[in-house]
Amino acid sequence: MRPYMSYIQTAFLETTRWDRDNSYASLTASPRALLFFETPRGLRLNVSALSTLHSASSYDLGNVGTLNGSLSYLYSSLPINHRSRSNGIELRDLVRGYRHVQELQTPTDALSRRYAAPEQDGRKDTLLYGRLFLPTSTLEALYMRRLSQKKLLRLSAVSDSTLPSGGTILASLQNDIGKYSTELLYSTDSALLGVRGLYNFGYDPREPGASDDTPEELQGRISAGGELYYGILNKSGGASAGLRFTTLPRYTGFPYTMTLTLNPLMGNLSSTYAVKAGDNLALSSQFDFNFYSYESDLRLGCEIWRRRRNSNLDWARNMIRDDWKQKPQGSDEETSGVLKARWDQNWNIGILWEGRFKELLFSLGVSLDMQKRDQIFRAVGAELRFSS
């Protein structure tokens, strides 16, 4: 389940109409969510709150052999009007699963005025986030700023005595044109320089009336991209390239996503397929092949959503909540939980159940290694969350 602070950061991006899917880093977001989800370890408790529309806090306490925890604070210059209570947040907004890629859009006139020249407005929406881990005293920080309607700046840092030079800083400048996007990266770790890019074939949102003339072409989108990076200090580099086809909201069949990525230096070729086989079911598979060693790997994953039908009494009870004026989405059904499972050819199995019980959000998971008969259970854990 997505951490509460990650949910608030996503709300910030959505409020500023930033397209998270139009990036090379998000090329394989859907299959990764179904195939590489983490299961909780030990017992963990999280309490969070959106104290004002501009600030949030989160406290985390866990027990995995030793007692540990963290304190998190967040500030946003932009009001966050998304649901924040644990009994009101949509589970699909918290659970990382199959992601529907939306059609490319151009910024609205209101958004253009908001990111006008400094002499006209001067408002650049900013988000500040910090997290302190205890008892290790490791510190994480994030600075996010919308420089313009097309640019996003991210500065993330980690301070830890176990790291070289006591920490590291990663800077990222993203430029989203719609038809294509670019990203420049710099990390103080090995003085790493990188560049990413993604190009979308077909419809160009900058051309007025294009979506009305060719609606049949908007049922799917082909995107191609790549990345290059080079470490100045260690004199080493890397590269990768990827291709994605995904259906769009206008597609009338089962939504699906296919990706193909290549890492030429490591010799790794990876193909994935993810399909939304129904309102409550998503399936995914991944096949990896290394053309240097001729080794291969297969992974399978799925998620099954559970719905319960609301009675008339439940419907009346929902109407007296704080958000009673908002029209309920869907019909008379409510999502109560999701079951996720993954498997690979080495018989590593992960099972995760996430849902809501009254005012609490919970995650129950187990990780199994079926090849070790004497120690099948690799990890078992439970996590409870409450937010106000």
Side-chain angles (χ1 to χ4, degrees), residues 150-183:
K150 299 178 182 179
K151 290 183 172 58
L152 175 66
L153 174 66
R154 295 174 185 259
L155 295 175
S156 56
V158 177
S159 175
D160 192 337
S161 59
T162 61
L163 296 176
S165 302
T168 182
I169 299 176
L170 174 64
S172 169
L173 178 61
Q174 296 178 259
N175 187 25
D176 186 0
I177 305 299
K179 181 69 173 179
Y180 64 91
S181 68
T182 59
E183 182 177 4

PDB file of all heavy atoms in Angstrom, residues 150-183:
ATOM      1  N   LYS A 150       5.243  23.340 -17.874  1.00  0.00           N
ATOM      2  CA  LYS A 150       5.891  22.219 -18.555  1.00  0.00           C
ATOM      3  C   LYS A 150       7.088  21.662 -17.796  1.00  0.00           C
ATOM      4  O   LYS A 150       7.631  20.637 -18.197  1.00  0.00           O
ATOM      5  CB  LYS A 150       6.351  22.638 -19.955  1.00  0.00           C
ATOM      6  CG  LYS A 150       5.232  23.093 -20.871  1.00  0.00           C
ATOM      7  CD  LYS A 150       5.770  23.544 -22.212  1.00  0.00           C
ATOM      8  CE  LYS A 150       4.655  24.048 -23.120  1.00  0.00           C
ATOM      9  NZ  LYS A 150       5.181  24.524 -24.423  1.00  0.00           N
ATOM     10  N   LYS A 151       7.508  22.308 -16.721  1.00  0.00           N
ATOM     11  CA  LYS A 151       8.733  21.910 -16.027  1.00  0.00           C
ATOM     12  C   LYS A 151       8.466  21.603 -14.559  1.00  0.00           C
ATOM     13  O   LYS A 151       7.681  22.294 -13.904  1.00  0.00           O
ATOM     14  CB  LYS A 151       9.805  23.006 -16.135  1.00  0.00           C
ATOM     15  CG  LYS A 151      10.392  23.183 -17.532  1.00  0.00           C
ATOM     16  CD  LYS A 151      11.497  24.225 -17.524  1.00  0.00           C
ATOM     17  CE  LYS A 151      12.223  24.280 -18.871  1.00  0.00           C
ATOM     18  NZ  LYS A 151      11.315  24.584 -19.974  1.00  0.00           N
ATOM     19  N   LEU A 152       9.155  20.571 -14.081  1.00  0.00           N
ATOM     20  CA  LEU A 152       9.083  20.161 -12.677  1.00  0.00           C
ATOM     21  C   LEU A 152      10.489  19.887 -12.173  1.00  0.00           C
ATOM     22  O   LEU A 152      11.235  19.123 -12.777  1.00  0.00           O
ATOM     23  CB  LEU A 152       8.219  18.908 -12.526  1.00  0.00           C
ATOM     24  CG  LEU A 152       8.149  18.286 -11.132  1.00  0.00           C
ATOM     25  CD1 LEU A 152       7.440  19.222 -10.160  1.00  0.00           C
ATOM     26  CD2 LEU A 152       7.453  16.926 -11.165  1.00  0.00           C
ATOM     27  N   LEU A 153      10.838  20.503 -11.050  1.00  0.00           N
ATOM     28  CA  LEU A 153      12.149  20.319 -10.445  1.00  0.00           C
ATOM     29  C   LEU A 153      12.016  19.494  -9.175  1.00  0.00           C
ATOM     30  O   LEU A 153      11.159  19.772  -8.336  1.00  0.00           O
ATOM     31  CB  LEU A 153      12.784  21.680 -10.117  1.00  0.00           C
ATOM     32  CG  LEU A 153      14.110  21.643  -9.341  1.00  0.00           C
ATOM     33  CD1 LEU A 153      15.208  21.014 -10.182  1.00  0.00           C
ATOM     34  CD2 LEU A 153      14.505  23.052  -8.891  1.00  0.00           C
ATOM     35  N   ARG A 154      12.871  18.473  -9.044  1.00  0.00           N
ATOM     36  CA  ARG A 154      12.917  17.644  -7.843  1.00  0.00           C
ATOM     37  C   ARG A 154      14.340  17.625  -7.295  1.00  0.00           C
ATOM     38  O   ARG A 154      15.291  17.385  -8.039  1.00  0.00           O
ATOM     39  CB  ARG A 154      12.498  16.200  -8.131  1.00  0.00           C
ATOM     40  CG  ARG A 154      11.055  15.996  -8.560  1.00  0.00           C
ATOM     41  CD  ARG A 154      10.862  14.541  -8.950  1.00  0.00           C
ATOM     42  NE  ARG A 154       9.557  14.251  -9.488  1.00  0.00           N
ATOM     43  CZ  ARG A 154       8.572  13.678  -8.815  1.00  0.00           C
ATOM     44  NH1 ARG A 154       8.767  13.343  -7.558  1.00  0.00           N
ATOM     45  NH2 ARG A 154       7.417  13.435  -9.387  1.00  0.00           N
ATOM     46  N   LEU A 155      14.448  17.848  -6.000  1.00  0.00           N
ATOM     47  CA  LEU A 155      15.717  17.703  -5.293  1.00  0.00           C
ATOM     48  C   LEU A 155      15.481  16.775  -4.108  1.00  0.00           C
ATOM     49  O   LEU A 155      14.719  17.105  -3.201  1.00  0.00           O
ATOM     50  CB  LEU A 155      16.244  19.053  -4.807  1.00  0.00           C
ATOM     51  CG  LEU A 155      16.630  20.083  -5.871  1.00  0.00           C
ATOM     52  CD1 LEU A 155      17.021  21.392  -5.213  1.00  0.00           C
ATOM     53  CD2 LEU A 155      17.763  19.565  -6.738  1.00  0.00           C
ATOM     54  N   SER A 156      16.121  15.625  -4.120  1.00  0.00           N
ATOM     55  CA  SER A 156      15.989  14.667  -3.023  1.00  0.00           C
ATOM     56  C   SER A 156      17.362  14.408  -2.427  1.00  0.00           C
ATOM     57  O   SER A 156      18.365  14.348  -3.154  1.00  0.00           O
ATOM     58  CB  SER A 156      15.360  13.362  -3.512  1.00  0.00           C
ATOM     59  OG  SER A 156      16.108  12.806  -4.575  1.00  0.00           O
ATOM     60  N   ALA A 157      17.398  14.277  -1.108  1.00  0.00           N
ATOM     61  CA  ALA A 157      18.668  14.096  -0.414  1.00  0.00           C
ATOM     62  C   ALA A 157      18.512  13.084   0.704  1.00  0.00           C
ATOM     63  O   ALA A 157      17.427  12.921   1.279  1.00  0.00           O
ATOM     64  CB  ALA A 157      19.160  15.432   0.151  1.00  0.00           C
ATOM     65  N   VAL A 158      19.603  12.402   1.013  1.00  0.00           N
ATOM     66  CA  VAL A 158      19.662  11.437   2.111  1.00  0.00           C
ATOM     67  C   VAL A 158      20.928  11.717   2.910  1.00  0.00           C
ATOM     68  O   VAL A 158      22.017  11.837   2.341  1.00  0.00           O
ATOM     69  CB  VAL A 158      19.675   9.982   1.596  1.00  0.00           C
ATOM     70  CG1 VAL A 158      19.820   9.021   2.759  1.00  0.00           C
ATOM     71  CG2 VAL A 158      18.428   9.682   0.801  1.00  0.00           C
ATOM     72  N   SER A 159      20.766  11.839   4.218  1.00  0.00           N
ATOM     73  CA  SER A 159      21.900  12.028   5.115  1.00  0.00           C
ATOM     74  C   SER A 159      22.032  10.797   6.005  1.00  0.00           C
ATOM     75  O   SER A 159      21.131  10.484   6.784  1.00  0.00           O
ATOM     76  CB  SER A 159      21.695  13.287   5.976  1.00  0.00           C
ATOM     77  OG  SER A 159      22.736  13.418   6.918  1.00  0.00           O
ATOM     78  N   ASP A 160      23.136  10.075   5.834  1.00  0.00           N
ATOM     79  CA  ASP A 160      23.356   8.835   6.575  1.00  0.00           C
ATOM     80  C   ASP A 160      24.854   8.649   6.751  1.00  0.00           C
ATOM     81  O   ASP A 160      25.626   8.728   5.778  1.00  0.00           O
ATOM     82  CB  ASP A 160      22.759   7.649   5.823  1.00  0.00           C
ATOM     83  CG  ASP A 160      22.705   6.383   6.673  1.00  0.00           C
ATOM     84  OD1 ASP A 160      23.483   6.293   7.639  1.00  0.00           O
ATOM     85  OD2 ASP A 160      21.885   5.497   6.374  1.00  0.00           O
ATOM     86  N   SER A 161      25.288   8.397   7.969  1.00  0.00           N
ATOM     87  CA  SER A 161      26.710   8.243   8.247  1.00  0.00           C
ATOM     88  C   SER A 161      27.322   7.032   7.570  1.00  0.00           C
ATOM     89  O   SER A 161      28.541   6.964   7.391  1.00  0.00           O
ATOM     90  CB  SER A 161      26.933   8.162   9.762  1.00  0.00           C
ATOM     91  OG  SER A 161      26.215   7.061  10.317  1.00  0.00           O
ATOM     92  N   THR A 162      26.504   6.046   7.191  1.00  0.00           N
ATOM     93  CA  THR A 162      27.028   4.844   6.543  1.00  0.00           C
ATOM     94  C   THR A 162      27.296   5.052   5.055  1.00  0.00           C
ATOM     95  O   THR A 162      27.940   4.223   4.426  1.00  0.00           O
ATOM     96  CB  THR A 162      26.043   3.677   6.714  1.00  0.00           C
ATOM     97  OG1 THR A 162      24.783   4.016   6.094  1.00  0.00           O
ATOM     98  CG2 THR A 162      25.815   3.385   8.186  1.00  0.00           C
ATOM     99  N   LEU A 163      26.804   6.139   4.471  1.00  0.00           N
ATOM    100  CA  LEU A 163      27.003   6.414   3.056  1.00  0.00           C
ATOM    101  C   LEU A 163      28.313   7.156   2.835  1.00  0.00           C
ATOM    102  O   LEU A 163      28.798   7.861   3.721  1.00  0.00           O
ATOM    103  CB  LEU A 163      25.847   7.239   2.501  1.00  0.00           C
ATOM    104  CG  LEU A 163      24.468   6.586   2.496  1.00  0.00           C
ATOM    105  CD1 LEU A 163      23.416   7.569   2.015  1.00  0.00           C
ATOM    106  CD2 LEU A 163      24.463   5.337   1.630  1.00  0.00           C
ATOM    107  N   PRO A 164      28.907   7.002   1.645  1.00  0.00           N
ATOM    108  CA  PRO A 164      30.116   7.780   1.346  1.00  0.00           C
ATOM    109  C   PRO A 164      29.826   9.282   1.421  1.00  0.00           C
ATOM    110  O   PRO A 164      28.781   9.750   0.967  1.00  0.00           O
ATOM    111  CB  PRO A 164      30.455   7.351  -0.093  1.00  0.00           C
ATOM    112  CG  PRO A 164      29.806   6.015  -0.254  1.00  0.00           C
ATOM    113  CD  PRO A 164      28.559   6.063   0.575  1.00  0.00           C
ATOM    114  N   SER A 165      30.733  10.022   2.018  1.00  0.00           N
ATOM    115  CA  SER A 165      30.604  11.474   2.201  1.00  0.00           C
ATOM    116  C   SER A 165      29.429  11.834   3.096  1.00  0.00           C
ATOM    117  O   SER A 165      29.002  12.993   3.132  1.00  0.00           O
ATOM    118  CB  SER A 165      30.446  12.180   0.842  1.00  0.00           C
ATOM    119  OG  SER A 165      31.538  11.893  -0.003  1.00  0.00           O
ATOM    120  N   GLY A 166      28.852  10.860   3.791  1.00  0.00           N
ATOM    121  CA  GLY A 166      27.784  11.142   4.726  1.00  0.00           C
ATOM    122  C   GLY A 166      26.415  11.330   4.127  1.00  0.00           C
ATOM    123  O   GLY A 166      25.455  11.625   4.851  1.00  0.00           O
ATOM    124  N   GLY A 167      26.268  11.155   2.828  1.00  0.00           N
ATOM    125  CA  GLY A 167      24.954  11.304   2.207  1.00  0.00           C
ATOM    126  C   GLY A 167      25.060  11.491   0.704  1.00  0.00           C
ATOM    127  O   GLY A 167      26.151  11.433   0.120  1.00  0.00           O
ATOM    128  N   THR A 168      23.923  11.738   0.090  1.00  0.00           N
ATOM    129  CA  THR A 168      23.876  11.919  -1.360  1.00  0.00           C
ATOM    130  C   THR A 168      22.706  12.828  -1.723  1.00  0.00           C
ATOM    131  O   THR A 168      21.723  12.919  -0.982  1.00  0.00           O
ATOM    132  CB  THR A 168      23.744  10.565  -2.078  1.00  0.00           C
ATOM    133  OG1 THR A 168      23.738  10.773  -3.491  1.00  0.00           O
ATOM    134  CG2 THR A 168      22.452   9.875  -1.679  1.00  0.00           C
ATOM    135  N   ILE A 169      22.815  13.483  -2.872  1.00  0.00           N
ATOM    136  CA  ILE A 169      21.779  14.388  -3.383  1.00  0.00           C
ATOM    137  C   ILE A 169      21.489  14.006  -4.829  1.00  0.00           C
ATOM    138  O   ILE A 169      22.412  13.766  -5.620  1.00  0.00           O
ATOM    139  CB  ILE A 169      22.217  15.858  -3.303  1.00  0.00           C
ATOM    140  CG1 ILE A 169      22.482  16.260  -1.851  1.00  0.00           C
ATOM    141  CG2 ILE A 169      21.155  16.774  -3.909  1.00  0.00           C
ATOM    142  CD1 ILE A 169      23.006  17.677  -1.705  1.00  0.00           C
ATOM    143  N   LEU A 170      20.210  13.948  -5.162  1.00  0.00           N
ATOM    144  CA  LEU A 170      19.773  13.655  -6.525  1.00  0.00           C
ATOM    145  C   LEU A 170      18.903  14.805  -7.019  1.00  0.00           C
ATOM    146  O   LEU A 170      17.915  15.165  -6.374  1.00  0.00           O
ATOM    147  CB  LEU A 170      18.993  12.344  -6.582  1.00  0.00           C
ATOM    148  CG  LEU A 170      18.362  11.994  -7.932  1.00  0.00           C
ATOM    149  CD1 LEU A 170      19.433  11.772  -8.985  1.00  0.00           C
ATOM    150  CD2 LEU A 170      17.476  10.752  -7.808  1.00  0.00           C
ATOM    151  N   ALA A 171      19.279  15.387  -8.163  1.00  0.00           N
ATOM    152  CA  ALA A 171      18.529  16.483  -8.774  1.00  0.00           C
ATOM    153  C   ALA A 171      17.928  16.004 -10.083  1.00  0.00           C
ATOM    154  O   ALA A 171      18.584  15.302 -10.867  1.00  0.00           O
ATOM    155  CB  ALA A 171      19.428  17.687  -9.006  1.00  0.00           C
ATOM    156  N   SER A 172      16.680  16.388 -10.308  1.00  0.00           N
ATOM    157  CA  SER A 172      15.968  15.982 -11.519  1.00  0.00           C
ATOM    158  C   SER A 172      15.165  17.159 -12.050  1.00  0.00           C
ATOM    159  O   SER A 172      14.436  17.813 -11.298  1.00  0.00           O
ATOM    160  CB  SER A 172      15.034  14.804 -11.221  1.00  0.00           C
ATOM    161  OG  SER A 172      14.158  14.556 -12.303  1.00  0.00           O
ATOM    162  N   LEU A 173      15.299  17.414 -13.352  1.00  0.00           N
ATOM    163  CA  LEU A 173      14.538  18.462 -14.024  1.00  0.00           C
ATOM    164  C   LEU A 173      13.755  17.810 -15.158  1.00  0.00           C
ATOM    165  O   LEU A 173      14.333  17.337 -16.136  1.00  0.00           O
ATOM    166  CB  LEU A 173      15.460  19.545 -14.569  1.00  0.00           C
ATOM    167  CG  LEU A 173      14.772  20.684 -15.340  1.00  0.00           C
ATOM    168  CD1 LEU A 173      13.786  21.419 -14.443  1.00  0.00           C
ATOM    169  CD2 LEU A 173      15.799  21.645 -15.927  1.00  0.00           C
ATOM    170  N   GLN A 174      12.427  17.777 -15.018  1.00  0.00           N
ATOM    171  CA  GLN A 174      11.553  17.145 -15.994  1.00  0.00           C
ATOM    172  C   GLN A 174      10.874  18.198 -16.851  1.00  0.00           C
ATOM    173  O   GLN A 174      10.429  19.236 -16.346  1.00  0.00           O
ATOM    174  CB  GLN A 174      10.501  16.284 -15.290  1.00  0.00           C
ATOM    175  CG  GLN A 174      11.087  15.120 -14.516  1.00  0.00           C
ATOM    176  CD  GLN A 174      10.022  14.332 -13.788  1.00  0.00           C
ATOM    177  OE1 GLN A 174       9.839  14.482 -12.580  1.00  0.00           O
ATOM    178  NE2 GLN A 174       9.299  13.500 -14.514  1.00  0.00           N
ATOM    179  N   ASN A 175      10.781  17.899 -18.132  1.00  0.00           N
ATOM    180  CA  ASN A 175      10.142  18.787 -19.094  1.00  0.00           C
ATOM    181  C   ASN A 175       9.100  17.981 -19.864  1.00  0.00           C
ATOM    182  O   ASN A 175       9.439  17.053 -20.601  1.00  0.00           O
ATOM    183  CB  ASN A 175      11.183  19.368 -20.050  1.00  0.00           C
ATOM    184  CG  ASN A 175      10.603  20.427 -20.960  1.00  0.00           C
ATOM    185  OD1 ASN A 175       9.605  21.069 -20.613  1.00  0.00           O
ATOM    186  ND2 ASN A 175      11.204  20.625 -22.116  1.00  0.00           N
ATOM    187  N   ASP A 176       7.822  18.306 -19.680  1.00  0.00           N
ATOM    188  CA  ASP A 176       6.720  17.565 -20.292  1.00  0.00           C
ATOM    189  C   ASP A 176       6.042  18.444 -21.339  1.00  0.00           C
ATOM    190  O   ASP A 176       5.327  19.389 -21.006  1.00  0.00           O
ATOM    191  CB  ASP A 176       5.715  17.138 -19.220  1.00  0.00           C
ATOM    192  CG  ASP A 176       4.619  16.236 -19.779  1.00  0.00           C
ATOM    193  OD1 ASP A 176       4.644  15.955 -20.999  1.00  0.00           O
ATOM    194  OD2 ASP A 176       3.755  15.791 -19.003  1.00  0.00           O
ATOM    195  N   ILE A 177       6.244  18.102 -22.616  1.00  0.00           N
ATOM    196  CA  ILE A 177       5.633  18.843 -23.720  1.00  0.00           C
ATOM    197  C   ILE A 177       4.288  18.233 -24.091  1.00  0.00           C
ATOM    198  O   ILE A 177       3.429  18.886 -24.681  1.00  0.00           O
ATOM    199  CB  ILE A 177       6.578  18.867 -24.938  1.00  0.00           C
ATOM    200  CG1 ILE A 177       7.942  19.428 -24.527  1.00  0.00           C
ATOM    201  CG2 ILE A 177       5.998  19.705 -26.072  1.00  0.00           C
ATOM    202  CD1 ILE A 177       7.892  20.840 -24.005  1.00  0.00           C
ATOM    203  N   GLY A 178       4.061  16.979 -23.729  1.00  0.00           N
ATOM    204  CA  GLY A 178       2.857  16.255 -24.113  1.00  0.00           C
ATOM    205  C   GLY A 178       3.185  15.226 -25.165  1.00  0.00           C
ATOM    206  O   GLY A 178       3.103  14.016 -24.944  1.00  0.00           O
ATOM    207  N   LYS A 179       3.607  15.684 -26.324  1.00  0.00           N
ATOM    208  CA  LYS A 179       4.029  14.781 -27.388  1.00  0.00           C
ATOM    209  C   LYS A 179       5.283  14.008 -26.985  1.00  0.00           C
ATOM    210  O   LYS A 179       5.457  12.849 -27.346  1.00  0.00           O
ATOM    211  CB  LYS A 179       4.292  15.582 -28.662  1.00  0.00           C
ATOM    212  CG  LYS A 179       4.727  14.764 -29.862  1.00  0.00           C
ATOM    213  CD  LYS A 179       3.604  13.886 -30.373  1.00  0.00           C
ATOM    214  CE  LYS A 179       3.997  13.210 -31.678  1.00  0.00           C
ATOM    215  NZ  LYS A 179       2.929  12.322 -32.178  1.00  0.00           N
ATOM    216  N   TYR A 180       6.126  14.644 -26.206  1.00  0.00           N
ATOM    217  CA  TYR A 180       7.338  13.996 -25.703  1.00  0.00           C
ATOM    218  C   TYR A 180       7.691  14.615 -24.358  1.00  0.00           C
ATOM    219  O   TYR A 180       7.184  15.675 -23.963  1.00  0.00           O
ATOM    220  CB  TYR A 180       8.503  14.158 -26.689  1.00  0.00           C
ATOM    221  CG  TYR A 180       8.944  15.579 -26.894  1.00  0.00           C
ATOM    222  CD1 TYR A 180       9.944  16.154 -26.114  1.00  0.00           C
ATOM    223  CD2 TYR A 180       8.350  16.371 -27.877  1.00  0.00           C
ATOM    224  CE1 TYR A 180      10.338  17.461 -26.285  1.00  0.00           C
ATOM    225  CE2 TYR A 180       8.737  17.678 -28.070  1.00  0.00           C
ATOM    226  CZ  TYR A 180       9.738  18.222 -27.275  1.00  0.00           C
ATOM    227  OH  TYR A 180      10.126  19.525 -27.457  1.00  0.00           O
ATOM    228  N   SER A 181       8.572  13.941 -23.640  1.00  0.00           N
ATOM    229  CA  SER A 181       9.051  14.431 -22.347  1.00  0.00           C
ATOM    230  C   SER A 181      10.524  14.099 -22.204  1.00  0.00           C
ATOM    231  O   SER A 181      11.009  13.095 -22.755  1.00  0.00           O
ATOM    232  CB  SER A 181       8.251  13.819 -21.194  1.00  0.00           C
ATOM    233  OG  SER A 181       8.518  12.424 -21.093  1.00  0.00           O
ATOM    234  N   THR A 182      11.229  14.936 -21.455  1.00  0.00           N
ATOM    235  CA  THR A 182      12.651  14.723 -21.192  1.00  0.00           C
ATOM    236  C   THR A 182      12.915  14.908 -19.700  1.00  0.00           C
ATOM    237  O   THR A 182      12.139  15.554 -18.985  1.00  0.00           O
ATOM    238  CB  THR A 182      13.523  15.710 -21.991  1.00  0.00           C
ATOM    239  OG1 THR A 182      13.174  17.055 -21.626  1.00  0.00           O
ATOM    240  CG2 THR A 182      13.334  15.513 -23.480  1.00  0.00           C
ATOM    241  N   GLU A 183      14.021  14.345 -19.248  1.00  0.00           N
ATOM    242  CA  GLU A 183      14.411  14.455 -17.849  1.00  0.00           C
ATOM    243  C   GLU A 183      15.925  14.467 -17.746  1.00  0.00           C
ATOM    244  O   GLU A 183      16.604  13.590 -18.303  1.00  0.00           O
ATOM    245  CB  GLU A 183      13.837  13.296 -17.033  1.00  0.00           C
ATOM    246  CG  GLU A 183      14.155  13.361 -15.551  1.00  0.00           C
ATOM    247  CD  GLU A 183      13.522  12.242 -14.766  1.00  0.00           C
ATOM    248  OE1 GLU A 183      12.890  11.352 -15.387  1.00  0.00           O
ATOM    249  OE2 GLU A 183      13.664  12.232 -13.527  1.00  0.00           O
TER     250      GLU A 183
END
